[in-house]
Amino acid sequence: MFMKRMLMLLLTIEVLLSCSGGSYSRLQEIESYMENEPKRALEELRRMNAEEIKGARNIAKHALLHSMALDKNYIDLTNDSIIAPAVKYYSKRGSADDRLLMHYYMGRIYANAGNWDKAAIEYSKGEELVGKAKNKLAVGRLYAVFSTIYNKTNNAKKEIEYAQKGCDYLKEMSSIKHLNIAKGKLAMAYANGRLFNEADSLFGECIEVLIEDTISMVNYLGHYARLNVLKPDPDPNKALLLLERRQKEYNRTYTPDLYCVYAYAQQQLGRESECDRILGYLKEINYKELDFWQYRIYKHRQQYKQAMAHLEHSSREYEYKMIRLLSDNTDNALKDYYSSEAERAKMEMQMKVMILVLIILSVVIVLSAIVIKLMHNNRKRQREMKAYLNMYENASKLVLDYENRLGKQIAQTYKNQFSTIGDLCLTYLTKQDKKNVKDHIYRKVEKLIANISSDEKMHLQLEKQLNADLDNIIVHLREDLPKLTNNDMRFICYCIVGFDATLISVIFNLSIENVYTKKSRLKAKINALNSPYKEQYILYIL
């Protein structure tokens, strides 16, 4: 019953994991065509039900893609109700690209709501991820939209800086369309900074290749027309042609601002009645920015008294606007943000220092305990050394007996007594950094091992005695395993007489692990034999 329940649990986990992975793959697929087919992407995202997007990662990805799809379909969000799961998830985890996109679209939401300060902070958080992000299109757009924030707050220098950054990133891509959209942003920034020649040149470039991008084309045609009536050497005919193209080719009506551009162009061409007709319409709708344009129109007519009146009124409006901007300035908001981030980083550093100090103290305590333990063990080993010296004398006598007497009791003698030599060898291996008493052990053990490992005559006597006592076991073994070398046979003899792994490892200059490996391979060869002596081999050798 228990095994059945465990099996059901494992199957359930596997199904859940496969569903989760499948859902995420589907979200990635939707993301792959989001750029070129935003309407299809939005429809697919809306079709996905709650069962398909279980799990924090899937929910966050869906929320991010849903916000992207709405934005790309020109559905402007002004609150975070949809993107909130993505903000919660990607604030702490996720790839740099997903986190950058989250800050980008959160900033878009704030910008749609007219909250430029919070939008700028989100874009600034996104900018911190630029070095890690691989999505150059997203980075280019981030910089471009950041320039828009500075446009809204009348900071032309920063607007140009960020628009240029957007262009620089998008130059690395093969998409001419996206690059020229960024160029249009930069042209607008140059116009706002009164760099008219640079703006004129860029507008001329980008509107030649943006025919497929209706939204950008409509936007840039309007700004380009505005530039042509405001620059020092105005070209009103070009401005009217651009406005006409916007209206006829893209079926866009004039905004109040473009009506002002149209009226001023008519004035520059000497068509005062047409200009006055448009001004009358704009007064009826109570357009707030009309004073600025009336100032320019009356100045062009050389009616300076009326021009000054409109200029003063326009200046007062501009002062109010600047006061509002200064009281809620984006640069100040960013400074506050960076200041708070610096303070947070300082606190984190202090915590890291405290943790490091605790770690160092812990290491010191552990090392002290280890040193004390080593000192204790060293004293214990010194006592053992004295005992090993006495044991050595007995082992030496056994070796002499071995040379003079190889009786039937040889196997038992080796098994009982040569373990002493193994102990001496183990001491030899573990005491190499000691002096005094152990040096005596080294010399004697080395002599003992040399006698055992190099005396061919002794080994032949050993084989002869083993054959006599164990029914020709070595003879039969050579017949059954003819490929065994002399070293292999010597290894087998030492196993039969009971040498332990430590002593054998020293004699053959092998590691103890290799001794066991050699024994294991020998066992496999013997088990594979079809020999009447197989059981005898296993009994005496293994």
Side-chain angles (χ1 to χ4, degrees), residues 103-130:
H103 289 301
Y104 173 84
Y105 285 102
M106 193 65 235
R108 295 277 289 173
I109 291 169
Y110 282 130
N112 292 337
N115 196 332
W116 311 117
D117 295 345
K118 287 187 176 180
I121 290 172
E122 289 297 326
Y123 296 149
S124 184
K125 290 178 180 179
E127 188 178 10
E128 292 172 5
L129 299 165
V130 166

Side-chain angles (χ1 to χ4, degrees), residues 89 173-174 191 225 236 247 257 365-366 390 401 483 488 513 542:
Y89 184 87
M173 298 183 60
S174 58
Q247 185 180 35
D257 181 64
I365 292 170
V366 171
N390 295 328
D401 290 343
K483 293 184 179 181
D488 291 336
E513 290 79 6
L542 305 177

